[in-house]
Amino acid sequence: MKRSKEIRYLCTGQQLGVSRVNDGISETAAETAENDPLDLIWADDHLGRREDARFVSDFIRGQIELRRKNGRVASYVLNVDSPWGGGKSFFLSRLAEQLRFEGHLVAEVNAWRDDHSDDPLISLMAAIEKVLDPYLKKPGKISAAWGAAKTNGVRIAGKVAVAAAKTALKRYVGESVEDLILEAEETKQKDNKTPSAKPASEDVIGTALEEATKEISSLTDRAADALIAKFNTTSKSISGFRGNMAAITKTMAEADRKAPLFVLVDELDRCRPTYAISLLERAKHLFEADGVAFIFATDAGQLQHAVRGVYGGDFDGSGYLTRFFDRRYVFAEPDVNQFVASRIVDLDLSKLDSGLEKPRETIIHGFQALQPMPLRSVEQIIEIITATISAWSSKLPIDTASLLLLSTCYHQRQDFNTNVFFESVRGRWMFTSSRNYEQQPQRIDVFGMTVNLLAQSGDLYSGVVGRSAGPNPADEYIQRYLSREFNARIAHQQGPSILLSLRSLIQSAGRVLNDDTSR
């Protein structure tokens, strides 16, 4: 078995500076988008995937042209492999827009959305027909070739035996099998009360089954005689389907549409395992035609588990998958700053307060200090933060560092034992304060400042009146933050700060996320 080679391409594009990320579009992208449509397409690219797209599209076009020159079938299948959080779906959607702008026809398939279908060939054909629609409105080479392709596709995907049996039964009975079963169950319950009564449904079902069995037997006999003929027909249909697709791409080139036709398939690793395998088989065996290129975006590790789930735990899932892909392209690991910036563009910053820097930068720098951490964990913590902000109803803004650290503590420990958690990260998040009147910049331990703020929040009166601000920026921020709430209260009113309610909100947000099994 020939194993596909692995391509590694590291992005060299300029990383977005933290301070320049705002509302999902960098200042540079916003300024240049008016001049270059591709800048607009990739304006919210925070992970450098535009560089990946340029390489992938140029690479595939080059490989197809090379195969054409060498007399081989000019098709290509590429697997874009990246774990969760690598931006695969974003990459495919923007790549599709880029390829269309460059003159290609692009069919997009969401395999997870379409896996209700019995045969993935139908969803593939539907996606291709959608992009061919402008060329099918009038007679011509394209409409004729696509009509023939659909005919061959139906012959390949058709499974008529079960459908014919159900149709025969329904024709004799006059209603669906499900309705009959329900009626039989209701009749059975009545008959239990009156044993002498003969169920009326027994005669109906018995007669129907007898007549249907005769027709089904006849269908089975004819089907047995036609099995070999059907196999030969299917083989011819597969060959014809490939020829039809090649004719379409050739005609499209004559109509000034660039080759190849791209088919982008997303969410394959989330499908039913049997459906995912079937889709790969259909793509490899039916669409190996001149001018057709497939790009699958997958988490290869998850896909291998799906394959082993079908064929057994000892099955070589990795080796099996290499049969379907010509090459595997691996994304570079995203920079954590870029990843966090891309995930927090929609945060409601009006509910956040940070004493040392802006809330967005506080979150980005905080996650940087918490590394190493899987991107999936970073995403889940951000979701907790987002949900907590949404549920925060107080007019007092949330201290950003407290929100981040309490959310992280709860996510990793499922409790709020902040002493244990903070001891493991203390000293890793340092902020340099350089105020004009200071002779030397001061280094501030943000973790330590947050511990002090939460401790003083237990008794707002003592935290504000019984303690004066120290000479450093951290103490000044704590005093200012608590005083804002204290001054808004009725005179001399005591009690804890509203900041302490963060714990219950974070717990609720965590429970919502734990119930989300869709990702």
Side-chain angles (χ1 to χ4, degrees), residues 102-148:
E102 294 172 348
H104 293 275
L105 289 180
V106 183
E108 296 180 82
V109 177
N110 186 311
W112 184 64
R113 180 194 62 201
D114 297 338
D115 76 347
H116 59 82
S117 172
D118 290 332
D119 194 321
L121 177 58
I122 304 302
S123 63
L124 291 173
M125 292 176 62
I128 293 173
E129 183 171 70
K130 182 178 180 181
V131 300
L132 292 178
D133 184 66
Y135 305 93
L136 303 178
K137 297 183 183 298
K138 57 183 179 180
K141 293 181 180 179
I142 295 177
S143 59
W146 181 245

mmCIF file of all heavy atoms in Angstrom, residues 102-148:
data_model
loop_
_atom_site.group_PDB
_atom_site.id
_atom_site.type_symbol
_atom_site.label_atom_id
_atom_site.label_comp_id
_atom_site.label_asym_id
_atom_site.label_seq_id
_atom_site.Cartn_x
_atom_site.Cartn_y
_atom_site.Cartn_z
ATOM 1 N N GLU A 102 -10.936 33.748 -8.147
ATOM 2 C CA GLU A 102 -9.895 33.453 -9.131
ATOM 3 C C GLU A 102 -10.420 32.737 -10.367
ATOM 4 O O GLU A 102 -9.645 32.415 -11.272
ATOM 5 C CB GLU A 102 -8.797 32.618 -8.470
ATOM 6 C CG GLU A 102 -8.042 33.386 -7.385
ATOM 7 C CD GLU A 102 -7.078 32.512 -6.597
ATOM 8 O OE1 GLU A 102 -7.156 31.273 -6.730
ATOM 9 O OE2 GLU A 102 -6.261 33.074 -5.837
ATOM 10 N N GLY A 103 -11.732 32.477 -10.414
ATOM 11 C CA GLY A 103 -12.330 31.928 -11.627
ATOM 12 C C GLY A 103 -12.634 30.453 -11.609
ATOM 13 O O GLY A 103 -12.978 29.879 -12.651
ATOM 14 N N HIS A 104 -12.566 29.805 -10.447
ATOM 15 C CA HIS A 104 -12.859 28.375 -10.357
ATOM 16 C C HIS A 104 -14.315 28.144 -9.953
ATOM 17 O O HIS A 104 -14.922 28.981 -9.266
ATOM 18 C CB HIS A 104 -11.958 27.705 -9.323
ATOM 19 C CG HIS A 104 -10.511 27.675 -9.705
ATOM 20 N ND1 HIS A 104 -9.978 26.702 -10.494
ATOM 21 C CD2 HIS A 104 -9.482 28.519 -9.400
ATOM 22 C CE1 HIS A 104 -8.677 26.914 -10.658
ATOM 23 N NE2 HIS A 104 -8.362 28.030 -10.001
ATOM 24 N N LEU A 105 -14.839 26.989 -10.365
ATOM 25 C CA LEU A 105 -16.102 26.520 -9.806
ATOM 26 C C LEU A 105 -15.787 25.758 -8.528
ATOM 27 O O LEU A 105 -14.871 24.936 -8.496
ATOM 28 C CB LEU A 105 -16.832 25.604 -10.790
ATOM 29 C CG LEU A 105 -17.433 26.257 -12.034
ATOM 30 C CD1 LEU A 105 -18.121 25.213 -12.887
ATOM 31 C CD2 LEU A 105 -18.411 27.353 -11.651
ATOM 32 N N VAL A 106 -16.555 26.037 -7.473
ATOM 33 C CA VAL A 106 -16.275 25.434 -6.165
ATOM 34 C C VAL A 106 -17.571 24.892 -5.579
ATOM 35 O O VAL A 106 -18.539 25.631 -5.388
ATOM 36 C CB VAL A 106 -15.668 26.467 -5.191
ATOM 37 C CG1 VAL A 106 -15.323 25.794 -3.868
ATOM 38 C CG2 VAL A 106 -14.444 27.131 -5.782
ATOM 39 N N ALA A 107 -17.584 23.596 -5.306
ATOM 40 C CA ALA A 107 -18.715 22.955 -4.633
ATOM 41 C C ALA A 107 -18.329 22.725 -3.174
ATOM 42 O O ALA A 107 -17.235 22.223 -2.898
ATOM 43 C CB ALA A 107 -19.071 21.633 -5.302
ATOM 44 N N GLU A 108 -19.207 23.086 -2.254
ATOM 45 C CA GLU A 108 -18.934 22.933 -0.828
ATOM 46 C C GLU A 108 -19.879 21.890 -0.227
ATOM 47 O O GLU A 108 -21.090 21.955 -0.440
ATOM 48 C CB GLU A 108 -19.109 24.268 -0.102
ATOM 49 C CG GLU A 108 -18.122 25.335 -0.549
ATOM 50 C CD GLU A 108 -18.325 26.645 0.174
ATOM 51 O OE1 GLU A 108 -17.830 26.780 1.317
ATOM 52 O OE2 GLU A 108 -18.990 27.541 -0.396
ATOM 53 N N VAL A 109 -19.315 20.968 0.523
ATOM 54 C CA VAL A 109 -20.078 19.882 1.133
ATOM 55 C C VAL A 109 -19.809 19.868 2.632
ATOM 56 O O VAL A 109 -18.647 19.811 3.058
ATOM 57 C CB VAL A 109 -19.692 18.511 0.528
ATOM 58 C CG1 VAL A 109 -20.460 17.390 1.231
ATOM 59 C CG2 VAL A 109 -19.960 18.487 -0.965
ATOM 60 N N ASN A 110 -20.878 19.948 3.421
ATOM 61 C CA ASN A 110 -20.772 19.764 4.866
ATOM 62 C C ASN A 110 -21.194 18.326 5.164
ATOM 63 O O ASN A 110 -22.375 18.008 5.216
ATOM 64 C CB ASN A 110 -21.667 20.759 5.610
ATOM 65 C CG ASN A 110 -21.481 20.701 7.120
ATOM 66 O OD1 ASN A 110 -21.496 19.621 7.715
ATOM 67 N ND2 ASN A 110 -21.314 21.840 7.740
ATOM 68 N N ALA A 111 -20.211 17.459 5.347
ATOM 69 C CA ALA A 111 -20.499 16.032 5.471
ATOM 70 C C ALA A 111 -21.343 15.719 6.697
ATOM 71 O O ALA A 111 -22.219 14.846 6.654
ATOM 72 C CB ALA A 111 -19.190 15.241 5.515
ATOM 73 N N TRP A 112 -21.101 16.425 7.794
ATOM 74 C CA TRP A 112 -21.858 16.157 9.019
ATOM 75 C C TRP A 112 -23.318 16.536 8.849
ATOM 76 O O TRP A 112 -24.212 15.851 9.335
ATOM 77 C CB TRP A 112 -21.234 16.932 10.174
ATOM 78 C CG TRP A 112 -21.876 16.667 11.492
ATOM 79 C CD1 TRP A 112 -21.906 15.488 12.174
ATOM 80 C CD2 TRP A 112 -22.584 17.605 12.305
ATOM 81 N NE1 TRP A 112 -22.578 15.630 13.364
ATOM 82 C CE2 TRP A 112 -23.004 16.927 13.469
ATOM 83 C CE3 TRP A 112 -22.895 18.959 12.174
ATOM 84 C CZ2 TRP A 112 -23.724 17.545 14.477
ATOM 85 C CZ3 TRP A 112 -23.603 19.577 13.186
ATOM 86 C CH2 TRP A 112 -24.020 18.875 14.322
ATOM 87 N N ARG A 113 -23.585 17.632 8.144
ATOM 88 C CA ARG A 113 -24.959 18.065 7.900
ATOM 89 C C ARG A 113 -25.688 17.100 6.974
ATOM 90 O O ARG A 113 -26.896 16.898 7.093
ATOM 91 C CB ARG A 113 -24.949 19.468 7.278
ATOM 92 C CG ARG A 113 -26.322 20.049 6.966
ATOM 93 C CD ARG A 113 -26.162 21.247 6.058
ATOM 94 N NE ARG A 113 -25.556 20.860 4.788
ATOM 95 C CZ ARG A 113 -24.937 21.715 3.979
ATOM 96 N NH1 ARG A 113 -24.808 22.978 4.313
ATOM 97 N NH2 ARG A 113 -24.410 21.280 2.834
ATOM 98 N N ASP A 114 -24.954 16.467 6.071
ATOM 99 C CA ASP A 114 -25.581 15.638 5.043
ATOM 100 C C ASP A 114 -25.569 14.152 5.350
ATOM 101 O O ASP A 114 -25.993 13.349 4.519
ATOM 102 C CB ASP A 114 -24.869 15.863 3.694
ATOM 103 C CG ASP A 114 -25.005 17.282 3.190
ATOM 104 O OD1 ASP A 114 -25.950 17.976 3.626
ATOM 105 O OD2 ASP A 114 -24.167 17.708 2.371
ATOM 106 N N ASP A 115 -25.076 13.754 6.534
ATOM 107 C CA ASP A 115 -24.915 12.308 6.742
ATOM 108 C C ASP A 115 -26.224 11.589 7.048
ATOM 109 O O ASP A 115 -26.218 10.407 7.383
ATOM 110 C CB ASP A 115 -23.864 12.008 7.814
ATOM 111 C CG ASP A 115 -24.364 12.247 9.227
ATOM 112 O OD1 ASP A 115 -25.426 12.867 9.404
ATOM 113 O OD2 ASP A 115 -23.682 11.814 10.173
ATOM 114 N N HIS A 116 -27.351 12.309 6.931
ATOM 115 C CA HIS A 116 -28.648 11.638 7.001
ATOM 116 C C HIS A 116 -28.929 10.856 5.724
ATOM 117 O O HIS A 116 -29.809 9.993 5.690
ATOM 118 C CB HIS A 116 -29.764 12.666 7.217
ATOM 119 C CG HIS A 116 -29.834 13.701 6.138
ATOM 120 N ND1 HIS A 116 -30.463 13.484 4.936
ATOM 121 C CD2 HIS A 116 -29.334 14.953 6.077
ATOM 122 C CE1 HIS A 116 -30.351 14.570 4.175
ATOM 123 N NE2 HIS A 116 -29.656 15.476 4.837
ATOM 124 N N SER A 117 -28.200 11.159 4.668
ATOM 125 C CA SER A 117 -28.398 10.497 3.379
ATOM 126 C C SER A 117 -27.862 9.072 3.430
ATOM 127 O O SER A 117 -26.879 8.788 4.120
ATOM 128 C CB SER A 117 -27.682 11.294 2.281
ATOM 129 O OG SER A 117 -27.701 10.594 1.061
ATOM 130 N N ASP A 118 -28.516 8.182 2.684
ATOM 131 C CA ASP A 118 -28.044 6.797 2.626
ATOM 132 C C ASP A 118 -26.739 6.690 1.849
ATOM 133 O O ASP A 118 -25.872 5.886 2.175
ATOM 134 C CB ASP A 118 -29.101 5.890 1.988
ATOM 135 C CG ASP A 118 -30.314 5.702 2.881
ATOM 136 O OD1 ASP A 118 -30.147 5.794 4.111
ATOM 137 O OD2 ASP A 118 -31.418 5.490 2.350
ATOM 138 N N ASP A 119 -26.608 7.481 0.796
ATOM 139 C CA ASP A 119 -25.429 7.405 -0.056
ATOM 140 C C ASP A 119 -24.864 8.815 -0.230
ATOM 141 O O ASP A 119 -25.545 9.707 -0.740
ATOM 142 C CB ASP A 119 -25.786 6.809 -1.418
ATOM 143 C CG ASP A 119 -24.549 6.405 -2.206
ATOM 144 O OD1 ASP A 119 -23.549 7.148 -2.150
ATOM 145 O OD2 ASP A 119 -24.572 5.357 -2.866
ATOM 146 N N PRO A 120 -23.613 9.043 0.178
ATOM 147 C CA PRO A 120 -23.026 10.385 0.056
ATOM 148 C C PRO A 120 -22.882 10.856 -1.381
ATOM 149 O O PRO A 120 -22.674 12.051 -1.617
ATOM 150 C CB PRO A 120 -21.663 10.241 0.735
ATOM 151 C CG PRO A 120 -21.358 8.786 0.711
ATOM 152 C CD PRO A 120 -22.673 8.091 0.812
ATOM 153 N N LEU A 121 -22.973 9.942 -2.330
ATOM 154 C CA LEU A 121 -22.898 10.360 -3.727
ATOM 155 C C LEU A 121 -23.986 11.372 -4.048
ATOM 156 O O LEU A 121 -23.774 12.295 -4.845
ATOM 157 C CB LEU A 121 -23.006 9.140 -4.647
ATOM 158 C CG LEU A 121 -23.026 9.432 -6.155
ATOM 159 C CD1 LEU A 121 -21.765 10.187 -6.568
ATOM 160 C CD2 LEU A 121 -23.161 8.136 -6.939
ATOM 161 N N ILE A 122 -25.152 11.202 -3.425
ATOM 162 C CA ILE A 122 -26.253 12.121 -3.689
ATOM 163 C C ILE A 122 -25.905 13.529 -3.219
ATOM 164 O O ILE A 122 -26.144 14.518 -3.923
ATOM 165 C CB ILE A 122 -27.539 11.629 -2.999
ATOM 166 C CG1 ILE A 122 -27.880 10.202 -3.447
ATOM 167 C CG2 ILE A 122 -28.695 12.568 -3.300
ATOM 168 C CD1 ILE A 122 -28.055 10.042 -4.933
ATOM 169 N N SER A 123 -25.329 13.660 -2.023
ATOM 170 C CA SER A 123 -24.975 14.990 -1.516
ATOM 171 C C SER A 123 -23.850 15.605 -2.345
ATOM 172 O O SER A 123 -23.836 16.825 -2.576
ATOM 173 C CB SER A 123 -24.574 14.914 -0.047
ATOM 174 O OG SER A 123 -23.412 14.128 0.129
ATOM 175 N N LEU A 124 -22.905 14.793 -2.804
ATOM 176 C CA LEU A 124 -21.838 15.304 -3.658
ATOM 177 C C LEU A 124 -22.401 15.823 -4.979
ATOM 178 O O LEU A 124 -22.027 16.913 -5.438
ATOM 179 C CB LEU A 124 -20.805 14.209 -3.920
ATOM 180 C CG LEU A 124 -19.947 13.763 -2.735
ATOM 181 C CD1 LEU A 124 -19.094 12.562 -3.102
ATOM 182 C CD2 LEU A 124 -19.064 14.906 -2.252
ATOM 183 N N MET A 125 -23.305 15.053 -5.577
ATOM 184 C CA MET A 125 -23.898 15.474 -6.845
ATOM 185 C C MET A 125 -24.753 16.722 -6.670
ATOM 186 O O MET A 125 -24.772 17.606 -7.532
ATOM 187 C CB MET A 125 -24.727 14.332 -7.439
ATOM 188 C CG MET A 125 -23.896 13.140 -7.897
ATOM 189 S SD MET A 125 -24.909 11.748 -8.483
ATOM 190 C CE MET A 125 -25.747 12.504 -9.884
ATOM 191 N N ALA A 126 -25.461 16.816 -5.543
ATOM 192 C CA ALA A 126 -26.296 17.996 -5.290
ATOM 193 C C ALA A 126 -25.436 19.246 -5.169
ATOM 194 O O ALA A 126 -25.799 20.322 -5.672
ATOM 195 C CB ALA A 126 -27.116 17.789 -4.025
ATOM 196 N N ALA A 127 -24.291 19.129 -4.490
ATOM 197 C CA ALA A 127 -23.399 20.283 -4.333
ATOM 198 C C ALA A 127 -22.819 20.714 -5.672
ATOM 199 O O ALA A 127 -22.694 21.915 -5.959
ATOM 200 C CB ALA A 127 -22.277 19.940 -3.351
ATOM 201 N N ILE A 128 -22.469 19.736 -6.514
ATOM 202 C CA ILE A 128 -21.904 20.066 -7.827
ATOM 203 C C ILE A 128 -22.975 20.667 -8.734
ATOM 204 O O ILE A 128 -22.723 21.640 -9.465
ATOM 205 C CB ILE A 128 -21.280 18.812 -8.461
ATOM 206 C CG1 ILE A 128 -20.050 18.387 -7.649
ATOM 207 C CG2 ILE A 128 -20.893 19.078 -9.916
ATOM 208 C CD1 ILE A 128 -19.447 17.075 -8.083
ATOM 209 N N GLU A 129 -24.173 20.107 -8.691
ATOM 210 C CA GLU A 129 -25.245 20.651 -9.525
ATOM 211 C C GLU A 129 -25.551 22.101 -9.160
ATOM 212 O O GLU A 129 -25.899 22.908 -10.020
ATOM 213 C CB GLU A 129 -26.502 19.798 -9.391
ATOM 214 C CG GLU A 129 -27.634 20.270 -10.292
ATOM 215 C CD GLU A 129 -28.793 19.304 -10.322
ATOM 216 O OE1 GLU A 129 -29.480 19.192 -9.295
ATOM 217 O OE2 GLU A 129 -28.986 18.655 -11.361
ATOM 218 N N LYS A 130 -25.417 22.432 -7.878
ATOM 219 C CA LYS A 130 -25.688 23.798 -7.438
ATOM 220 C C LYS A 130 -24.755 24.791 -8.118
ATOM 221 O O LYS A 130 -25.183 25.867 -8.549
ATOM 222 C CB LYS A 130 -25.548 23.881 -5.916
ATOM 223 C CG LYS A 130 -25.856 25.254 -5.342
ATOM 224 C CD LYS A 130 -25.746 25.240 -3.828
ATOM 225 C CE LYS A 130 -26.059 26.609 -3.236
ATOM 226 N NZ LYS A 130 -25.937 26.597 -1.745
ATOM 227 N N VAL A 131 -23.473 24.449 -8.236
ATOM 228 C CA VAL A 131 -22.528 25.379 -8.855
ATOM 229 C C VAL A 131 -22.624 25.339 -10.381
ATOM 230 O O VAL A 131 -22.219 26.296 -11.057
ATOM 231 C CB VAL A 131 -21.081 25.097 -8.403
ATOM 232 C CG1 VAL A 131 -20.970 25.239 -6.908
ATOM 233 C CG2 VAL A 131 -20.618 23.727 -8.837
ATOM 234 N N LEU A 132 -23.159 24.249 -10.932
ATOM 235 C CA LEU A 132 -23.335 24.161 -12.382
ATOM 236 C C LEU A 132 -24.640 24.775 -12.851
ATOM 237 O O LEU A 132 -24.852 24.943 -14.056
ATOM 238 C CB LEU A 132 -23.292 22.692 -12.827
ATOM 239 C CG LEU A 132 -21.962 21.952 -12.717
ATOM 240 C CD1 LEU A 132 -22.137 20.497 -13.159
ATOM 241 C CD2 LEU A 132 -20.879 22.637 -13.555
ATOM 242 N N ASP A 133 -25.494 25.120 -11.906
ATOM 243 C CA ASP A 133 -26.848 25.561 -12.252
ATOM 244 C C ASP A 133 -26.897 26.648 -13.333
ATOM 245 O O ASP A 133 -27.722 26.560 -14.249
ATOM 246 C CB ASP A 133 -27.573 26.038 -10.990
ATOM 247 C CG ASP A 133 -29.022 26.410 -11.281
ATOM 248 O OD1 ASP A 133 -29.800 25.509 -11.631
ATOM 249 O OD2 ASP A 133 -29.350 27.611 -11.161
ATOM 250 N N PRO A 134 -26.045 27.679 -13.300
ATOM 251 C CA PRO A 134 -26.123 28.706 -14.350
ATOM 252 C C PRO A 134 -25.884 28.160 -15.754
ATOM 253 O O PRO A 134 -26.342 28.752 -16.728
ATOM 254 C CB PRO A 134 -25.023 29.708 -13.953
ATOM 255 C CG PRO A 134 -24.819 29.499 -12.495
ATOM 256 C CD PRO A 134 -25.050 28.038 -12.273
ATOM 257 N N TYR A 135 -25.178 27.025 -15.848
ATOM 258 C CA TYR A 135 -24.852 26.452 -17.147
ATOM 259 C C TYR A 135 -25.836 25.362 -17.569
ATOM 260 O O TYR A 135 -25.715 24.799 -18.652
ATOM 261 C CB TYR A 135 -23.433 25.874 -17.116
ATOM 262 C CG TYR A 135 -22.400 26.880 -16.689
ATOM 263 C CD1 TYR A 135 -22.022 26.988 -15.352
ATOM 264 C CD2 TYR A 135 -21.809 27.731 -17.608
ATOM 265 C CE1 TYR A 135 -21.081 27.921 -14.947
ATOM 266 C CE2 TYR A 135 -20.862 28.665 -17.217
ATOM 267 C CZ TYR A 135 -20.508 28.758 -15.883
ATOM 268 O OH TYR A 135 -19.583 29.689 -15.492
ATOM 269 N N LEU A 136 -26.787 25.062 -16.699
ATOM 270 C CA LEU A 136 -27.747 24.001 -16.999
ATOM 271 C C LEU A 136 -29.089 24.549 -17.454
ATOM 272 O O LEU A 136 -29.990 23.776 -17.787
ATOM 273 C CB LEU A 136 -27.959 23.127 -15.748
ATOM 274 C CG LEU A 136 -26.703 22.478 -15.156
ATOM 275 C CD1 LEU A 136 -27.061 21.681 -13.910
ATOM 276 C CD2 LEU A 136 -26.014 21.590 -16.181
ATOM 277 N N LYS A 137 -29.214 25.847 -17.469
ATOM 278 C CA LYS A 137 -30.503 26.460 -17.816
ATOM 279 C C LYS A 137 -30.801 26.389 -19.311
ATOM 280 O O LYS A 137 -31.944 26.579 -19.730
ATOM 281 C CB LYS A 137 -30.536 27.916 -17.341
ATOM 282 C CG LYS A 137 -30.421 28.066 -15.828
ATOM 283 C CD LYS A 137 -30.526 29.521 -15.417
ATOM 284 C CE LYS A 137 -30.329 29.696 -13.910
ATOM 285 N NZ LYS A 137 -31.336 29.000 -13.116
ATOM 286 N N LYS A 138 -29.788 26.145 -20.115
ATOM 287 C CA LYS A 138 -29.999 26.054 -21.560
ATOM 288 C C LYS A 138 -29.264 24.828 -22.093
ATOM 289 O O LYS A 138 -28.249 24.399 -21.522
ATOM 290 C CB LYS A 138 -29.514 27.317 -22.262
ATOM 291 C CG LYS A 138 -28.063 27.658 -22.018
ATOM 292 C CD LYS A 138 -27.675 28.962 -22.693
ATOM 293 C CE LYS A 138 -26.211 29.321 -22.438
ATOM 294 N NZ LYS A 138 -25.841 30.597 -23.102
ATOM 295 N N PRO A 139 -29.744 24.236 -23.183
ATOM 296 C CA PRO A 139 -29.099 23.045 -23.750
ATOM 297 C C PRO A 139 -27.660 23.352 -24.165
ATOM 298 O O PRO A 139 -27.336 24.453 -24.587
ATOM 299 C CB PRO A 139 -29.973 22.721 -24.964
ATOM 300 C CG PRO A 139 -31.278 23.378 -24.695
ATOM 301 C CD PRO A 139 -30.958 24.620 -23.933
ATOM 302 N N GLY A 140 -26.815 22.384 -24.013
ATOM 303 C CA GLY A 140 -25.420 22.543 -24.392
ATOM 304 C C GLY A 140 -24.607 21.358 -23.933
ATOM 305 O O GLY A 140 -25.143 20.374 -23.394
ATOM 306 N N LYS A 141 -23.309 21.435 -24.108
ATOM 307 C CA LYS A 141 -22.444 20.322 -23.742
ATOM 308 C C LYS A 141 -22.471 20.047 -22.244
ATOM 309 O O LYS A 141 -22.465 18.895 -21.812
ATOM 310 C CB LYS A 141 -21.007 20.631 -24.186
ATOM 311 C CG LYS A 141 -20.810 20.691 -25.694
ATOM 312 C CD LYS A 141 -19.345 20.967 -26.024
ATOM 313 C CE LYS A 141 -19.125 21.031 -27.521
ATOM 314 N NZ LYS A 141 -17.695 21.320 -27.858
ATOM 315 N N ILE A 142 -22.505 21.132 -21.469
ATOM 316 C CA ILE A 142 -22.462 20.951 -20.018
ATOM 317 C C ILE A 142 -23.740 20.297 -19.512
ATOM 318 O O ILE A 142 -23.696 19.343 -18.721
ATOM 319 C CB ILE A 142 -22.220 22.296 -19.323
ATOM 320 C CG1 ILE A 142 -20.837 22.837 -19.681
ATOM 321 C CG2 ILE A 142 -22.342 22.155 -17.803
ATOM 322 C CD1 ILE A 142 -20.529 24.189 -19.097
ATOM 323 N N SER A 143 -24.887 20.808 -19.943
ATOM 324 C CA SER A 143 -26.156 20.231 -19.488
ATOM 325 C C SER A 143 -26.300 18.788 -19.942
ATOM 326 O O SER A 143 -26.819 17.945 -19.208
ATOM 327 C CB SER A 143 -27.324 21.074 -19.987
ATOM 328 O OG SER A 143 -27.326 21.149 -21.402
ATOM 329 N N ALA A 144 -25.841 18.483 -21.165
ATOM 330 C CA ALA A 144 -25.921 17.105 -21.652
ATOM 331 C C ALA A 144 -25.012 16.187 -20.840
ATOM 332 O O ALA A 144 -25.406 15.075 -20.445
ATOM 333 C CB ALA A 144 -25.545 17.058 -23.136
ATOM 334 N N ALA A 145 -23.783 16.648 -20.566
ATOM 335 C CA ALA A 145 -22.847 15.820 -19.805
ATOM 336 C C ALA A 145 -23.329 15.616 -18.379
ATOM 337 O O ALA A 145 -23.212 14.519 -17.821
ATOM 338 C CB ALA A 145 -21.460 16.460 -19.813
ATOM 339 N N TRP A 146 -23.900 16.679 -17.788
ATOM 340 C CA TRP A 146 -24.373 16.540 -16.408
ATOM 341 C C TRP A 146 -25.611 15.651 -16.342
ATOM 342 O O TRP A 146 -25.776 14.884 -15.388
ATOM 343 C CB TRP A 146 -24.668 17.900 -15.803
ATOM 344 C CG TRP A 146 -25.128 17.800 -14.365
ATOM 345 C CD1 TRP A 146 -26.330 18.137 -13.863
ATOM 346 C CD2 TRP A 146 -24.369 17.288 -13.269
ATOM 347 N NE1 TRP A 146 -26.389 17.894 -12.519
ATOM 348 C CE2 TRP A 146 -25.189 17.364 -12.118
ATOM 349 C CE3 TRP A 146 -23.073 16.791 -13.146
ATOM 350 C CZ2 TRP A 146 -24.758 16.952 -10.879
ATOM 351 C CZ3 TRP A 146 -22.652 16.369 -11.891
ATOM 352 C CH2 TRP A 146 -23.484 16.447 -10.769
ATOM 353 N N GLY A 147 -26.478 15.737 -17.357
ATOM 354 C CA GLY A 147 -27.632 14.843 -17.394
ATOM 355 C C GLY A 147 -27.199 13.388 -17.446
ATOM 356 O O GLY A 147 -27.752 12.534 -16.751
ATOM 357 N N ALA A 148 -26.178 13.111 -18.241
ATOM 358 C CA ALA A 148 -25.661 11.744 -18.320
ATOM 359 C C ALA A 148 -25.004 11.340 -17.012
ATOM 360 O O ALA A 148 -25.119 10.190 -16.563
ATOM 361 C CB ALA A 148 -24.659 11.636 -19.474
#
